[in-house]
């Protein structure tokens, strides 16, 4: 008989960096490196792969906010261009480091929740051959 686990919110598991199956074990070994498996429930993390998704989301979101911040600092406060760029660069680095890990964990938890897997290239039936 397989052990049953109560449903875990992928967002709660992602933001806390916990196992997407049990919500208790740590997901990460280091800053962005996944552990081999969950120490609480034994879930194998070998197939967990968020790919480039977290980095792309962070680039688009943080990049947009950094440009807005630079423009706001430059034209609202009259800061020199270099100072506005410096403020935006510090914000971009801090926001990237703050958001990349929880976003990666959330995407992995969403993959687990929806049982996402790589496509095997097989026709799902119904399409022209």
């Amino acid at each position: 008989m397989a052990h049953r686990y109560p449903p875990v919110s992928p967002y709660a598991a992602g933001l806390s960096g916990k196992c997407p199956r049990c919500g208790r074990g740590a997901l990460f070994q280091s800053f962005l490196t996944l552990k081999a498996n969950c120490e609480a429930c034994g879930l194998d993390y070998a197939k967990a792969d968020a790919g480039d998704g977290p980095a792309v989301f962070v680039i688009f979101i943080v990049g947009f906010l950094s440009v807005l911040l630079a423009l706001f600092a430059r034209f609202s406060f009259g800061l020199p261009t270099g100072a506005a760029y410096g403020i935006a660069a510090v914000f971009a680095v801090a926001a990237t480091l703050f958001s990349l890990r929880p976003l990666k964990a959330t995407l992995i938890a969403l993959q687990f929740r929806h049982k996402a897997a790589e496509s095997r290239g097989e026709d799902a039936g119904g399409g022209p051959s």
Side-chain angles (χ1 to χ4, degrees):
M1 181 174 154
H3 191 280
R4 308 243 337 146
Y5 295 94
V8 175
S9 165
Y11 303 105
L15 291 176
S16 63
K18 299 294 183 185
C19 173
R21 179 164 67 183
C22 69
R24 293 188 320 253
L27 185 63
F28 293 103
Q29 177 177 330
S30 62
F31 183 63
L32 290 175
T33 305
L34 295 179
K35 289 186 167 197
N37 56 20
C38 175
E39 68 265 5
C41 70
L43 177 65
D44 184 18
Y45 296 146
K47 292 184 182 180
D49 182 23
D52 293 333
V56 171
F57 284 127
V58 168
I59 287 169
F60 284 135
I61 295 167
V62 171
F64 176 76
L65 293 174
S66 297
V67 169
L68 281 180
L69 179 62
L71 291 173
F72 183 75
R74 173 73 178 106
F75 294 112
S76 292
F77 297 115
L79 292 178
T81 304
Y85 286 165
I87 291 169
V90 169
F91 169 78
V93 170
T96 298
L97 292 175
F98 178 75
S99 62
L100 193 55
R101 183 177 165 137
L103 191 55
K104 180 175 182 174
T106 301
L107 288 177
I108 289 171
L110 285 168
Q111 285 177 343
F112 178 81
R113 166 64 63 91
H114 297 288
K115 298 173 179 57
E118 278 189 43
S119 172
R120 295 184 298 228
E122 298 172 358
D123 186 22
S129 299

